[in-house]
């Protein structure tokens, strides 16, 4: 019985040390090596937090750049894809409807010019970024809706395009929330 008690004490101590220690080590690494010192990257407008930069959200107004579609309705508590195959009739019907909706809002584009990312959901359903191509396809709509010069809005997209890390890792991307906040700040000035 004494050996069992000692074994339980050792097991409990190891669980505490490894459970708490592991979390503290990861927190320390993120504070030193992670972006924002391991804290959430929030976006503000007029001193108010409007969202997290790393979580996608829905924008439907013509005055804003739109995000990628979300299979989970942008619910961070249940992130994930639809798990439907590219040949699934339901998936194909949904993509076709999104293509038609995108073309209706962007009548100056041809079907071939609709960026795939704007009509297909990401694997997480919470992708906060779109490609520069996805943003540039929307420039004219946004500029016209806001009464801005197209070149000004195009320049804004270019200025907020993030390059691959070290020029090698990842792809070019534009954070939709940051872009829309920059639009609001542009209209304020």
């Amino acid at each position: 019985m004494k050996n069992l008690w000692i074994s339980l004490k050792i097991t409990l101590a190891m669980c505490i040390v490894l459970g708490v220690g592991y979390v503290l080590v990861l927190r320390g690494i993120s504070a030193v090596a992670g972006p924002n010192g391991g804290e959430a990257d929030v976006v503000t407008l007029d001193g108010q937090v409007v969202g997290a930069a790393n979580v996608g959200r829905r924008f439907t107004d013509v005055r804003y750049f739109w995000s990628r579609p979300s299979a989970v309705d942008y619910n961070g508590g249940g992130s994930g894809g639809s798990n439907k195959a590219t040949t699934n009739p339901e998936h194909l019907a949904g993509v076709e409807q999104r293509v038609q909706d995108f073309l209706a809002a962007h009548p100056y584009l041809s079907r071939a010019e609709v960026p795939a990312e704007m009509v297909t959901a990401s694997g997480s359903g919470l992708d906060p970024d779109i490609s520069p191509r996805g943003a540039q396809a929307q420039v004219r709509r946004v500029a016209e809706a806001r009464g801005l010069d197209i070149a000004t809005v195009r320049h804004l997209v270019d200025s907020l395009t993030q390059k691959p890390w070290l020029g090698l890792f990842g792809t070019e991307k534009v954070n939709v929330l940051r872009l829309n906040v920059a639009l609001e700040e542009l209209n304020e000035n």
Side-chain angles (χ1 to χ4, degrees):
M1 192 67 161
K2 184 178 179 184
N3 288 340
L4 178 62
W5 184 244
I6 292 172
S7 181
L8 284 174
K9 282 183 180 179
I10 292 172
T11 302
L12 180 60
M14 292 299 288
C15 285
I16 291 171
V17 167
L18 293 176
V20 173
Y22 178 71
V23 170
L24 291 176
V25 166
L26 288 181
R27 179 68 178 111
I29 290 170
S30 71
V32 173
N36 270 356
E39 298 297 323
D41 187 8
V42 295
V43 179
T44 60
L45 177 64
D46 297 329
Q48 300 289 331
V49 173
V50 293
N54 62 344
V55 179
R57 58 190 302 172
R58 178 189 316 272
F59 292 97
T60 56
D61 191 304
V62 294
R63 298 172 33 85
Y64 293 105
F65 284 88
W66 297 344
S67 302
R68 287 189 75 171
S70 173
V72 294
D73 200 28
Y74 304 96
N75 177 0
S79 77
S82 70
N83 293 330
K84 293 180 180 159
T86 56
T87 57
N88 180 293
E90 236 179 84
H91 170 73
L92 293 172
V95 169
E96 180 57 32
Q97 183 60 55
R98 289 192 288 268
V99 168
Q100 295 305 320
D101 293 344
F102 198 82
L103 286 171
H106 304 87
Y108 50 88
L109 294 177
S110 70
R111 185 179 184 85
E113 293 173 308
V114 174
E117 76 201 72
M118 300 310 299
V119 295
T120 57
S122 67
S124 70
L126 300 171
D127 196 345
D129 305 312
I130 57 176
S131 71
R133 181 174 177 250
Q136 293 294 350
Q138 301 179 67
V139 163
R140 183 171 164 188
R141 170 185 50 84
V142 172
E144 289 174 356
R146 288 181 173 268
L148 295 170
D149 181 56
I150 290 175
T152 300
V153 178
R154 190 173 308 282
H155 176 72
L156 186 64
V157 169
D158 291 341
S159 71
L160 291 172
T161 298
Q162 300 169 14
K163 304 294 183 196
W165 186 61
L166 298 177
L168 299 171
F169 304 104
T171 59
E172 286 189 325
K173 60 187 177 183
V174 181
N175 185 281
V176 178
L177 179 58
R178 288 189 194 286
L179 181 56
N180 286 330
V181 166
L183 274 172
E184 288 297 314
E185 291 171 343
L186 185 65
N187 271 114
E188 289 176 358
N189 296 331

